[in-house]
Amino acid sequence: MSTKIYNGFRLAEGTDLTAFKHEVRSIIDPLRDQEDLKLLAATLAKRVDERWLAGEPILPGAVETAYSEWVDAQSKMSVYDYAYDLNRFELSIGTDPGSGRSMVIARVENRVLLDAFEEMPEVEEYGYWNNTDSYPEGVTRGDWEKREAAWDRMLPGFGRISATMDTWTLRDTVEMRDELHSLDGPGAARILALTPVSEDRATNTGQDAYADYLHQEQGVAPMRAVQHVAFGRGESIRTVIDTIASYLPVLTKELLTEGSGATVLDPGYRDAVRAACASLYETDKTELARNGQ
């Protein structure tokens, strides 16, 4: 049977679990706030830009709208969905009956949170897997066999974790504290600081615009157009991205609070993007023709 405990850890001898959990919370909680705000800032920018580039005005209360949409989307997901609670932090903790040491399995997808946990002085990487002969750097075969024995004692027959370990969860909800997602509170400056820059906001739109141009105006097969942009061109469609970025609004507290009123996207936007795509195509058409459009 294949055994994979990639995020396995062992705590230092004599670690007081109550004090340890308090320390974990004091370190991870602020980082979780930061990573959650990154998600909110990205969602906010995406929603604002979608309306703006569609020629619609930005409505008042954009942050709360983006937050409500994010919470609603999370509520409709299964806990098994990839995008559900991307910043979760859960630890299964048990005692190795042989050594008396505390063993930990971390369920953490965000590397920022996991790295911070691993850097704690009480925490020792102690994973184990039997599907490969590749050991972590500095671990000998003898060390590996000791790990196998420890996890076999902790999880007899490598059975269900819940049978021998208790699970500790940093938070029991994906919702953020109210003061963090309000532009009237201390979260305002942090949200604005974490909002993606205009070039990053325009990247996906630029890729889509150029692929659409290749298909609609130059007759390139849809899949070929997408492959060319994603793998042949990638980030080098900078001229299109920069053109789109120049038309995006600056996300200020005033704009996100009060909206744009009657102000909407510059009517010259579509012609400018088309011109950028046409210019880029002039450098690409030989390669596209060679490989067959």
Side-chain angles (χ1 to χ4, degrees), residues 17 32 34 37 43 71 73 77 86 90 94-95 150 153 157 232 248 286 290:
L17 288 180
R32 166 82 198 232
Q34 170 188 287
L37 282 174
T43 300
V71 170
M77 292 181 192
L86 291 174
E90 297 178 0
T95 302
R153 292 190 299 267
L248 294 177
T286 300
R290 183 187 308 120

Side-chain angles (χ1 to χ4, degrees), residues 2-285:
S2 179
T3 300
K4 302 173 186 177
I5 306 175
Y6 293 127
N7 286 344
F9 302 92
R10 184 172 68 170
L11 302 186
E13 287 189 70
T15 297
D16 180 282
L17 288 180
T18 300
F20 177 72
K21 291 173 187 176
H22 282 299
E23 185 182 2
V24 170
R25 188 175 297 282
S26 70
I27 293 171
I28 304 300
D29 244 346
L31 290 176
R32 166 82 198 232
D33 285 343
Q34 170 188 287
E35 296 304 297
D36 281 351
L37 282 174
K38 284 182 182 178
L39 292 178
L40 175 59
T43 300
L44 168 66
K46 182 179 180 181
R47 296 293 179 266
V48 166
D49 292 345
E50 285 175 347
R51 286 190 61 86
W52 187 253
L53 295 180
E56 300 174 2
I58 298 170
L59 300 177
V63 174
E64 286 304 320
T65 298
Y67 177 68
S68 296
E69 290 180 0
W70 178 73
V71 170
D72 183 60
Q74 289 285 307
S75 70
K76 295 175 181 176
M77 292 181 192
S78 160
V79 294
Y80 300 107
D81 286 336
Y82 169 76
Y84 180 76
D85 198 7
L86 291 174
N87 296 323
R88 72 168 177 165
F89 189 94
E90 297 178 0
L91 304 177
S92 290
I93 306 174
T95 302
D96 173 5
S99 67
R101 299 280 289 274
S102 292
M103 308 288 283
V104 177
I105 296 176
R107 282 181 288 280
V108 184
E109 287 74 36
N110 187 317
R111 283 302 318 185
V112 171
L113 306 183
L114 187 59
D115 288 347
F117 176 72
E118 290 191 55
E119 289 171 4
M120 294 179 65
E122 302 93 336
V123 176
E124 174 190 1
E125 188 281 321
Y126 214 70
Y128 173 77
W129 47 90
N130 64 2
N131 60 323
T132 175
D133 291 330
S134 176
Y135 310 145
E137 184 177 353
V139 176
T140 66
R141 182 176 180 81
D143 294 332
W144 200 243
E145 291 173 349
K146 290 179 181 178
R147 291 190 183 201
E148 179 184 15
W151 283 112
D152 195 35
R153 292 190 299 267
M154 188 70 257
L155 302 170
F158 291 100
R160 292 172 54 208
I161 293 175
S162 60
T164 55
M165 305 181 82
D166 295 326
T167 296
W168 179 82
T169 304
L170 182 74
R171 298 181 184 177
D172 59 1
T173 176
V174 298
E175 296 185 18
M176 303 177 200
R177 291 195 291 275
D178 289 343
E179 64 270 21
L180 289 179
H181 58 85
S182 170
L183 288 181
D184 295 326
R190 297 175 67 183
I191 292 173
L192 294 174
L194 292 170
T195 300
V197 298
S198 58
E199 290 78 10
D200 290 340
R201 289 159 54 194
T203 296
N204 288 339
T205 303
Q207 291 172 339
D208 291 344
Y210 189 46
D212 187 64
Y213 171 85
L214 291 177
H215 173 57
Q216 297 292 343
E217 300 206 28
Q218 300 301 335
V220 179
M223 187 56 67
R224 175 75 179 100
V226 171
Q227 290 175 340
H228 178 72
V229 172
F231 304 110
R233 268 286 173 182
E235 285 298 317
S236 61
I237 61 168
R238 179 55 58 186
T239 55
V240 179
I241 293 173
D242 287 346
T243 299
I244 294 172
S246 69
Y247 283 86
L248 294 177
V250 177
L251 301 182
T252 64
K253 180 178 179 180
E254 291 71 26
L255 178 66
L256 298 175
T257 302
E258 301 170 9
S260 64
T263 303
V264 293
L265 178 67
D266 187 312
Y269 166 74
R270 298 191 188 285
D271 287 341
V273 173
R274 184 185 180 283
C277 289
S279 175
L280 195 58
Y281 176 70
E282 287 302 309
T283 66
D284 284 358
K285 61 184 180 182

